[in-house]
Coordinates of all heavy atoms in Angstrom, one line a residue:
M124 N -27.8 7.1 11.2 CA -28.3 6.9 9.8 C -27.5 5.8 9.1 O -26.3 5.8 9.2 CB -28.3 8.2 9.1 CG -29.6 8.3 8.3 SD -29.8 9.9 7.6 CE -28.7 10.0 6.2
Q129 N -24.6 -0.1 3.8 CA -25.4 -0.8 4.7 C -26.8 -1.1 4.2 O -27.4 -2.2 4.3 CB -25.5 -0.1 6.1 CG -24.3 -0.2 7.0 CD -24.3 0.7 8.1 OE1 -24.8 1.9 8.0 NE2 -23.7 0.4 9.2
G230 N -23.6 -28.5 -8.7 CA -22.6 -29.2 -7.8 C -22.7 -30.7 -7.8 O -22.0 -31.3 -6.9
N284 N -39.6 -20.6 -31.6 CA -39.4 -19.2 -31.7 C -38.9 -18.6 -30.3 O -38.9 -17.4 -30.1 CB -40.8 -18.5 -31.9 CG -41.1 -18.6 -33.4 OD1 -40.2 -18.4 -34.3 ND2 -42.4 -18.9 -33.7
K321 N -39.2 -14.1 -19.6 CA -40.4 -13.2 -19.9 C -41.7 -14.0 -19.5 O -42.5 -13.5 -18.9 CB -40.4 -13.0 -21.4 CG -41.4 -12.0 -21.8 CD -41.1 -11.5 -23.2 CE -42.3 -11.0 -23.9 NZ -42.6 -11.8 -25.1
A403 N -38.5 0.1 -15.5 CA -39.8 -0.4 -16.0 C -40.8 -0.7 -15.0 O -42.0 -0.8 -15.3 CB -39.5 -1.7 -16.8
K410 N -44.4 -1.8 -4.1 CA -44.8 -3.2 -4.3 C -43.8 -4.0 -5.1 O -43.7 -5.2 -5.0 CB -46.1 -3.3 -5.0 CG -47.3 -3.2 -4.0 CD -48.6 -3.2 -4.8 CE -49.3 -4.6 -4.8 NZ -50.5 -4.6 -5.5

Side-chain angles (χ1 to χ4, degrees):
M124 220 167 76
Q129 283 168 328
N284 281 318
K321 189 164 153 247
K410 276 176 97 179

